[in-house]
């Protein structure tokens, strides 16, 4: 069983402005903008969470674990030993997206997420 010291729900999602289901549906200028933005966000996330590394992932299509029909990049802060097996991050990411919303203890409150979003937003001013 995977050990997760830093919950996967600490990820930040970067989405293109135009909603498209698959990565292939993005125009070249949108791909460039998405990845330039993901890079800026990644730098801020790594500093904000005092991480030493990042996992940056796109789940493109249902067989890849995509459950939201809108392209998005996951930016996850990583620290040494956060998972017993490093690649377990992908199992946890897929499992996280399928968790029941009825289990309140598994989700951060709206207030917690809003506070974190405000703190992260301040890094871009």
């Amino acid at each position: 069983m995977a050990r997760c010291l830093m919950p996967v729900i600490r990820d930040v999602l970067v989405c293109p402005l135009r909603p498209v289901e698959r990565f292939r549906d993005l125009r070249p200028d949108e791909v460039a903008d998405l990845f330039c933005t993901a890079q800026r966000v990644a730098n801020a996330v790594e500093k904000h969470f005092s991480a030493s590394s990042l996992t940056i992932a796109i789940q493109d299509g249902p067989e890849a674990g995509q459950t939201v029909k809108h392209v998005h990049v996951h930016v996850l802060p990583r620290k040494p030993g956060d998972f017993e097996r490093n690649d377990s991050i992908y199992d946890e990411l897929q499992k996280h997206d399928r968790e029941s919303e009825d289990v309140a203890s598994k989700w951060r409150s709206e207030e917690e997420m809003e506070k974190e979003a405000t703190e992260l937003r301040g890094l871009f001013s």
Side-chain angles (χ1 to χ4, degrees):
M1 175 155 253
R3 174 173 51 114
C4 177
L5 301 179
M6 185 182 305
V8 172
I9 56 173
R10 285 282 180 216
D11 68 334
V12 174
L13 301 182
V14 180
C15 305
L17 292 176
R18 184 173 66 93
V20 298
E21 185 172 336
R22 299 287 307 276
F23 183 74
R24 67 176 177 235
D25 300 328
L26 292 170
R27 296 185 308 261
D29 62 307
E30 292 172 318
V31 171
D33 185 53
L34 178 64
F35 277 95
C36 286
T37 303
Q39 184 180 46
R40 287 187 65 211
V41 169
N43 288 333
V45 165
E46 189 167 353
K47 289 175 189 164
H48 181 74
F49 291 107
S50 301
S52 56
S53 297
L54 298 163
T55 292
I56 300 171
I58 296 176
Q59 294 168 291
D60 191 35
E63 290 74 28
Q66 181 183 17
T67 57
V68 177
K69 293 185 177 189
H70 184 348
V71 171
H72 56 280
V73 178
H74 293 265
V75 179
L76 301 106
R78 302 293 304 272
K79 293 183 178 181
D82 56 1
F83 285 90
E84 188 174 315
R85 195 176 122 286
N86 194 43
D87 281 350
S88 293
I89 185 77
Y90 302 109
D91 299 330
E92 290 297 318
L93 183 61
Q94 187 169 4
K95 187 169 75 174
H96 169 265
D97 286 346
R98 297 186 196 291
E99 291 290 340
S100 168
E101 293 184 21
D102 298 335
V103 184
S105 64
K106 292 186 182 263
W107 302 99
R108 291 178 290 156
S109 70
E110 289 291 326
E111 293 80 21
E112 289 172 306
M113 290 187 289
E114 186 174 328
K115 180 178 182 277
E116 186 173 280
T118 300
E119 290 170 0
L120 288 169
R121 194 175 300 113
L123 299 174
F124 297 97
S125 301

